[in-house]
């Protein structure tokens, strides 16, 4: 198990958007579900301040990378309606660009610190 | 992360979570629609987090603390939300602030303030064009046109002041009446009466200020009067609609969020 990371939105800014896009690649989801997916794919190692996800989702929506709608039928669920996000074609392109950028980043920094990917 | 979404949440727990969310959202300088979206989303998230903690067997008090902690440091999150607020939304917040009547402000003073705002913003672009012409750097129209233009500017300023003032005065009457009858499905006759009066005053203003731009002999031309009558009816109907939706939104806001004590 990798060490636990306590990452805030500020530290993740730039990467958080790619992370959120990757989580939404599985299909549309609300914020809490996005975090559930991240927790699952990160094997519990990534512990981010959950509220930070929403500014990232807003940014992505405003840039046209995501489309959002309010949950239509909460299916007997009690509580406020949630907002469901889904990837747009622009979001998919952004995700691909984010992946390439990340691979380049890891490659460069990895060779500098002596821990190549 | 298993969440039992149907679990009944104790009102006290809901209140604690709402306060936590409101601490984050209230300081954000953005228009109310955007802030309501933030509130709803963060609150839905906090509730899910609370239910998740409860599902793991955590006691209610600890589950609230954990759900709030999971959201993050309020000041930090506020700063993030603020940083991503577009200028349009900040401008919307500014307009909302300028055009919202505080409970202590007398109605006539609010109406006068709105008349002043209308007088500035509606003919504002025309004033700007006139100022550019005065500099002599460019001439956008002939001197004759400039004269007509100046008259139009005065006319629009007078009309804007009247309309904003009348709408503010009667709009606040309508809003108060609607706010006092939460379960009514249709506006009362008093609401319709005030809205019709506002529409009628709009018509009177249109006719009264007409001599600024046109010959008084044209004043009673059927086309002109017909136009103003139609506009008056639209103003009255629009006023009821705007006041109605505003009251519904404000009611939700005031009852659910703005009444929360966050300090």
């Amino acid at each position: 198990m990798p060490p636990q990371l306590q990452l805030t939105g500020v530290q993740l800014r730039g990467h958080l958007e790619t992370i959120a896009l990757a989580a939404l690649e599985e299909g549309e989801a609300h914020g809490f579900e996005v975090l559930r997916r991240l927790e699952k794919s990160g094997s519990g190692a990534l512990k981010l301040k959950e509220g930070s996800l929403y500014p990232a989702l807003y940014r992505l929506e405003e840039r046209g990378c995501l489309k959002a709608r309010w949950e239509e039928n909460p299916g007997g669920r009690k509580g406020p309606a949630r907002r469901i996000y889904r990837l747009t074609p622009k979001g998919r392109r952004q995700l691909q660009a984010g992946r390439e950028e990340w691979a380049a980043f890891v490659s460069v920094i990895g060779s500098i610190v002596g821990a190549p990917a | 992360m298993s969440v039992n979404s149907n679990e009944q949440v104790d009102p006290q727990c809901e209140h604690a979570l709402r306060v936590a969310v409101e601490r984050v959202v209230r300081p954000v300088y953005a228009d109310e629609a955007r802030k309501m979206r933030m509130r709803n989303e963060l609150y839905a998230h906090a509730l899910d987090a609370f239910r998740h903690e409860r599902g793991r067997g955590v006691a209610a008090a600890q589950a609230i603390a954990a759900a709030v902690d999971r959201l993050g440091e309020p000041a930090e999150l506020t700063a993030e939300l603020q940083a991503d607020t577009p200028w349009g939304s900040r401008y919307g917040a500014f307009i909302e602030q300028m055009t919202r009547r505080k409970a202590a402000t007398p109605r006539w003073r609010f109406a006068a303030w709105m008349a002043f705002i209308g007088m500035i913003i509606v003919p504002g672009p025309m004033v700007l064009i006139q100022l550019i012409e005065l500099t002599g750097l460019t001439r956008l129209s002939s001197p004759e046109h400039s004269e007509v233009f100046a008259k139009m500017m005065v006319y629009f300023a007078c009309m804007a002041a009247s309309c904003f003032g009348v709408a503010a005065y009667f709009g606040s009457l309508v809003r108060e009446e609607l706010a006092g009858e939460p379960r009514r499905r249709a506006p009362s006759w008093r609401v319709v009466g005030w809205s019709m009066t506002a529409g009628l005053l709009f018509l009177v203003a249109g006719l009264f200020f007409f001599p600024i731009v046109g010959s008084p002999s044209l004043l009673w031309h059927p086309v002109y009067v017909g136009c103003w009558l139609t506009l008056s009816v639209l103003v009255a109907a629009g006023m009821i609609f705007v006041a109605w939706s505003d009251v519904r939104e404000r009611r939700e806001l005031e009852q659910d969020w703005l009444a929360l004590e966050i300090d």
Side-chain angles (χ1 to χ4, degrees):
Chain A
M1 170 82 70
Q4 281 250 320
L5 297 172
Q6 189 76 26
L7 294 173
T8 65
V10 175
Q11 289 163 303
L12 280 170
R13 209 176 164 106
H15 303 302
L16 184 57
E17 292 176 12
T18 307
I19 291 172
L21 289 171
L24 285 163
E25 202 180 20
E26 282 182 41
E28 63 174 22
H30 51 76
F32 197 77
E33 171 65 13
V34 168
L35 282 159
R36 193 196 63 79
R37 289 177 188 175
L38 292 180
E39 193 168 282
K40 198 173 140 203
S41 54
S43 310
L46 180 70
K47 283 278 175 205
L48 73 106
K49 289 296 181 189
E50 297 178 1
S52 296
L53 175 70
Y54 291 93
L57 291 173
Y58 297 162
R59 284 196 296 274
L60 288 165
E61 191 189 351
E62 269 147 28
R63 291 211 304 263
C65 295
L66 297 179
K67 279 258 181 215
R69 62 175 173 84
W70 288 106
E71 200 172 34
E72 278 169 21
N73 179 18
R77 185 183 151 270
K78 292 185 172 71
R82 297 181 289 202
R83 209 157 157 78
I84 311 287
Y85 294 90
R86 72 175 164 81
L87 271 184
T88 62
K90 188 179 176 189
R92 287 183 195 285
R93 288 196 297 275
Q94 175 77 35
L95 174 59
Q96 190 50 39
R99 280 181 173 139
E100 285 164 14
E101 196 180 300
W102 177 252
F105 176 82
V106 169
S107 162
V108 172
I109 302 298
S111 59
I112 292 170
V113 300
Chain B
M1 260 199 257
S2 68
V3 177
N4 179 7
S5 300
N6 291 321
E7 187 195 317
Q8 189 72 44
V9 178
D10 181 65
Q12 279 186 324
C13 299
E14 281 187 349
H15 181 264
L17 295 173
R18 277 175 187 273
V19 169
V21 168
E22 190 60 11
R23 276 197 189 117
V24 171
V25 178
R26 195 175 291 177
V28 177
Y29 193 67
D31 64 276
E32 274 307 333
R34 189 178 175 91
K35 286 174 76 166
M36 271 312 285
R37 174 187 159 181
M38 291 174 187
R39 285 182 179 109
N40 281 328
E41 274 205 286
L42 290 175
Y43 178 49
H45 186 99
L47 263 182
D48 279 342
F50 172 79
R51 286 179 175 135
H52 172 238
E53 296 294 335
R54 291 287 285 149
R56 289 176 18 186
V58 176
Q62 280 79 35
I64 291 172
V68 171
D69 184 58
R70 281 168 64 162
L71 274 182
E73 177 61 35
E76 217 171 82
L77 191 48
T78 301
E80 280 186 61
L81 289 167
Q82 187 63 72
D84 291 318
T85 301
W87 284 106
S89 177
R90 292 171 202 229
Y91 180 68
F94 173 71
I95 296 291
E96 280 172 357
Q97 222 171 41
M98 299 289 280
T99 57
R100 186 169 297 153
R101 180 181 165 226
K102 293 184 183 85
T105 310
R107 197 173 288 115
W108 66 266
R109 193 188 289 173
F110 175 64
W113 168 243
M114 288 304 293
F116 176 69
I117 288 184
M119 210 164 70
I120 289 176
I121 62 170
V122 174
M126 296 173 89
V127 173
L128 203 66
I129 292 170
Q130 283 294 87
L131 287 175
I132 292 170
E133 292 224 345
L134 281 175
T135 60
L137 290 173
T138 175
R139 180 142 292 282
L140 301 169
S141 56
S142 65
E144 302 82 63
H145 280 128
S146 283
E147 199 184 324
V148 175
F149 204 69
K151 282 181 181 172
M152 293 283 284
M153 203 167 66
V154 175
Y155 179 68
F156 277 122
C158 293
M159 281 306 292
S162 318
C163 292
F164 274 59
V166 165
Y169 190 87
F170 286 90
S172 64
L173 278 173
V174 168
R175 203 173 285 140
E176 277 163 31
E177 177 78 6
L178 288 174
E181 42 182 55
R183 298 196 192 283
R184 271 190 92 103
R185 287 182 156 265
S188 67
W189 283 110
R190 210 186 309 187
V191 166
V192 175
W194 279 329
S195 302
M196 296 294 283
T197 311
L200 193 69
L201 286 174
F202 179 70
L203 169 72
V204 170
L207 299 174
F208 182 76
F209 292 121
F210 183 78
I212 296 173
V213 279
S215 156
S217 60
L218 291 172
L219 191 60
W220 300 108
H221 193 280
V223 174
Y224 185 71
V225 174
C227 282
W228 281 110
L229 269 174
T230 312
L231 276 172
S232 305
V233 172
L234 288 176
V235 165
M239 223 170 91
I240 296 178
F241 176 75
V242 170
W244 189 270
S245 24
D246 184 53
V247 163
R248 283 175 64 177
E249 188 188 316
R250 297 294 304 168
R251 193 179 294 147
E252 182 190 359
L253 254 178
E254 278 160 15
Q255 284 180 357
D256 293 350
W257 295 101
L258 297 185
L260 293 174
E261 286 182 22
I262 58 170
D263 297 324

